[in-house]
Amino acid sequence: DAGVIQSPRHEVTEMGQEVTLRCKPISGHNSLFWYRQTMMRGLELLIYFNNNVPIDDSGMPEDRFSAKMPNASFSTLKIQPSEPRDSAVYFCASSLSGLWAEAFFGQGTRLTVV
Amino acid sequence: KQEVTQIPAALSVPEGENLVLNCSFTDSAIYNLQWFRQDPGKGLTSLLLIQSSQREQTSGRLNASLDKSSGRSTLYIAASQPGDSATYLCAVRSGGGADGLTFGKGTHLIIQP
C-alpha cells in the first residue's frame, strides 16, 4: 500500500478563497483523522471519522471549516473563506478501527493564505 | 483534558552517544502511546506503538518504555547517528470521547557528526 495520500502537497491562496484539501486513507482502514500543525500550537486534532461518519469534530476551529468522507477511500477538508491565520500544515491520518490501533500519517499539505 | 509534555524541547549530542527522550501525560487512562519521527517539511513516521498493557517496545536501536500509572514514557536511542537528527513526537490515545491522538510539542534532536 502507498500509505496515506494527501493532495495537494502545497497550496498558496488568497484570503477569502475556498481551499479544499484531499486525503486517501490506507485501504482497509476505517478511522480517519485530520490534524493541523502550527509552530505555536503543535499538532491539533480537527476531526475524526469512523466508518465514514464524523465522530468528533470538536477541534474544528470555526464554521469556515468543514470535512466530509463520502466513501471509505476519500475525505476532504474545506476552508471557506480562507484567512491568513489558517496557514499551517494539515495532516491526514488513518488507522484500523479500535482505540488500540496504530495511526499512519500522510505527508501533509502546507497551506499558505496571503 | 489530556495534556502531553515532552522534555527536553531540544537536544544536541555528539554522534555515538546513547540518549533518552522523555514524555509525560496527565491522564493515565490511555489506550496506547505512539512515538513518531518528523523530518523537516515531511510527514510523521511511526516509530513505536506501545499498548497500555505493555511496558516496552523495541525496534532496532530504539526502545520505548511506558509507565502508565505514573504517566511517563521514554524513548531510548542507542549509538546515535547523524541520520537520527529529526523532531521526535510522543502521542497518546485516550478514548472517552477524545478518540484521536493527543500530541506533545516534540523534542528537536541534532546529532553532531
Side-chain angles (χ1 to χ4, degrees):
Chain A
D1 198 311
V4 177
I5 299 174
Q6 292 186 245
S7 65
R9 291 293 312 278
H10 303 273
E11 177 81 32
V12 180
T13 190
E14 292 185 347
M15 183 174 62
Q17 296 298 305
E18 177 180 296
V19 176
T20 300
L21 311 182
R22 296 172 176 80
C23 175
K24 176 179 167 56
I26 292 173
S27 177
H29 282 187
N30 303 100
S31 294
L32 184 139
F33 310 84
W34 283 99
Y35 286 86
R36 179 171 65 177
Q37 185 177 39
T38 61
M39 288 290 292
M40 288 294 294
R41 301 173 69 89
L43 273 153
E44 300 174 290
L45 177 68
L46 298 176
I47 188 168
Y48 158 52
F49 290 89
N50 193 49
N51 292 323
N52 312 336
V53 176
I55 304 299
D56 179 10
D57 65 354
S58 59
M60 296 286 263
E62 300 172 32
D63 291 344
R64 298 184 296 107
F65 286 69
S66 62
K68 293 182 179 179
M69 192 163 185
N71 57 62
S73 59
F74 184 66
S75 178
T76 59
L77 178 67
K78 184 178 294 186
I79 308 172
Q80 167 64 16
S82 58
E83 295 183 3
R85 60 195 168 113
D86 302 331
S87 298
V89 181
Y90 291 81
F91 286 103
C92 176
S94 72
S95 72
L96 295 170
S97 285
L99 294 169
W100 48 266
E102 185 174 10
F104 296 87
F105 279 70
Q107 292 296 298
T109 295
R110 181 173 295 276
L111 174 65
T112 303
V113 183
V114 298
Chain B
K1 179 185 172 186
Q2 180 73 269
E3 293 183 3
V4 179
T5 303
Q6 291 188 245
I7 295 174
L11 182 63
S12 180
V13 300
E15 178 178 5
E17 285 200 6
N18 302 324
L19 55 98
V20 174
L21 308 182
N22 296 291
C23 172
S24 62
F25 45 95
T26 54
D27 186 349
S28 62
I30 65 169
Y31 285 86
N32 60 42
L33 182 145
Q34 216 168 330
W35 282 93
F36 293 88
R37 168 184 174 141
Q38 185 175 27
D39 293 283
K42 304 292 186 182
L44 280 67
T45 300
S46 180
L47 297 174
L48 289 164
L49 171 72
I50 310 177
Q51 301 296 346
S52 61
S53 59
Q54 297 175 322
R55 297 284 296 188
E56 66 178 333
Q57 283 287 336
T58 298
S59 176
R61 294 181 294 107
L62 304 179
N63 175 276
S65 68
L66 174 64
D67 183 343
K68 198 176 79 161
S69 61
S70 67
R72 294 180 182 179
S73 175
T74 61
L75 179 66
Y76 176 83
I77 303 176
S80 58
Q81 303 170 358
D84 294 331
S85 298
T87 296
Y88 290 81
L89 293 156
C90 167
V92 298
R93 200 159 186 188
S94 305
D99 292 343
L101 289 165
T102 301
F103 281 84
K105 293 286 182 66
T107 294
H108 180 55
L109 176 64
I110 296 175
I111 307 299
Q112 306 154 10

